[in-house]
Amino acid sequence: QVLLVESGGGLVQAGGSLRLSCVGSGGTFSDSAMAWFRQAPGKEREFVATISRLGYSTDHADSVKGRFTISRDNAKNTLYLQMNSLKPDDTAVYYCAARPVYHSISTWSGDYNYWGQGTQVTVSS
């Protein structure tokens, strides 16, 4: 059973930065494409960014392009999301997710089998 644990959320002022981390265990981390999703109060969960198994391919939602960067360190079984120039609209619970092994990146939440518990990001204006 794959276990994902996020950290790094918090309260930040607009224009600030945060780096989220997601540590994986219980599986072969480097065999899975990973992603970040977020869910704001009263809204559906939405795609933020995804990265391939070895990190060669990434994709970011238009709303975060140029501000957020997804990366991974397979030696540490850790996924990252660097968030810069944060806006109040970025306020949400952020989740990391993993696909079944050897699948490609995807922007659809239904393609991800494993999810973390989420970390809250709050951006004040």
Side-chain angles (χ1 to χ4, degrees):
Q1 180 71 18
V2 174
L3 180 64
L4 302 173
V5 180
E6 302 99 333
S7 62
L11 174 64
V12 63
Q13 289 188 333
S17 298
L18 283 174
R19 187 175 81 158
L20 305 183
S21 299
C22 171
V23 177
S25 62
T28 306
F29 186 82
S30 60
D31 287 341
S32 296
M34 305 284 296
W36 289 97
F37 290 81
R38 66 185 182 186
Q39 187 166 18
K43 295 186 178 181
E44 292 187 355
R45 189 169 298 188
E46 67 172 354
F47 165 74
V48 176
T50 183
I51 189 167
S52 60
R53 296 185 296 117
L54 301 182
Y56 295 139
S57 296
T58 63
D59 191 12
H60 296 76
D62 287 344
S63 59
V64 305
K65 277 181 181 175
R67 300 189 298 122
F68 292 10
T69 302
I70 190 171
S71 64
R72 64 192 297 165
D73 184 341
N74 287 341
K76 296 181 179 179
N77 285 0
T78 304
L79 176 73
Y80 300 102
L81 185 67
Q82 179 65 45
M83 305 187 296
N84 299 328
S85 303
L86 282 160
K87 305 174 182 179
D89 284 349
D90 295 319
T91 295
V93 177
Y94 283 72
Y95 300 90
C96 69
R99 291 206 69 185
V101 295
Y102 305 122
H103 282 66
S104 59
I105 61 173
S106 171
T107 63
W108 183 48
S109 62
D111 280 338
Y112 291 83
N113 284 30
Y114 304 103
W115 294 81
Q117 83 289 348
T119 185
Q120 176 70 47
V121 172
T122 303
V123 184
S124 62
S125 57

